Amino acid sequence: MDLDSVYTELIMEHNKNSRNKHSLDDADLSEHGHNPSCGDDITLELKFDGDLISEAAFTGSGCAISQASTSIMIDLIKGKSIEEALELVETFIAMIKKDIDDQQELRKLKDAMALKNISNMPARVKCAVLSWHTLKEALKERN
């Protein structure tokens, strides 16, 4: 199985069986994100323990790319500080924009690297970055 097949499988798995797609009771922060060009719509909910993101979840609807990207992002940010999460957002967006391709730097993104080739599909870029921009806006509110 080639790497592209593994990445496709990972995206489909997160889209179909996202353990991160649910509401959080007593969320400390909630941020809505919407992509008017295709209708992707998410609400990201976060809980904090001091400066750490202790829990995260989302609700909403959209294409497989947006739903998988959100779920993968949540797996990545749980247990991270606000500063670490914001750094991951910047790295992910830079990867999608093809601003960085240093494998060492991209390894921080773990499973989110599966979305790297979305940059070759301009119509899907907004789908992939919706949750990341939503997280950035939410964390700006928290600071």
Side-chain angles (χ1 to χ4, degrees), residues 62-76:
C63 69
I65 300 291
S66 74
Q67 301 294 285
S69 184
T70 306
S71 180
I72 290 168
M73 179 195 74
I74 287 172
D75 280 348
L76 192 59

Side-chain angles (χ1 to χ4, degrees), residues 74-126:
I74 287 172
D75 280 348
L76 192 59
I77 64 168
K78 285 181 189 173
K80 299 284 192 278
S81 69
I82 291 172
E83 184 179 324
E84 290 169 319
L86 286 170
E87 286 174 17
L88 290 167
V89 168
E90 294 308 319
T91 302
F92 182 83
I93 291 171
M95 176 187 74
I96 295 297
K97 289 180 172 180
K98 296 184 179 181
D99 289 344
I100 59 170
D101 60 4
D102 175 25
Q103 291 304 306
Q104 183 88 358
E105 184 74 13
L106 294 176
R107 276 193 198 104
K108 293 184 218 172
L109 295 174
K110 299 182 181 177
D111 286 352
M113 284 180 64
L115 296 157
K116 183 179 183 186
N117 289 333
I118 297 298
S119 60
N120 298 323
M121 298 179 266
R124 305 316 299 259
V125 166
K126 288 182 181 179

Side-chain angles (χ1 to χ4, degrees), residues 1-13 65 111 113-118 120-121:
M1 186 180 294
D2 68 0
L3 199 53
D4 285 337
S5 297
V6 171
Y7 284 164
T8 300
E9 193 173 306
L10 179 67
I11 291 167
M12 295 313 294
E13 182 64 27
I65 300 291
D111 286 352
M113 284 180 64
L115 296 157
K116 183 179 183 186
N117 289 333
I118 297 298
N120 298 323
M121 298 179 266

Side-chain angles (χ1 to χ4, degrees), residues 42-59:
I42 63 160
T43 299
L44 182 63
E45 296 179 321
L46 304 168
K47 282 188 180 183
F48 296 91
D49 182 3
D51 189 40
L52 295 180
I53 299 168
S54 59
E55 287 186 62
F58 78 103
T59 55

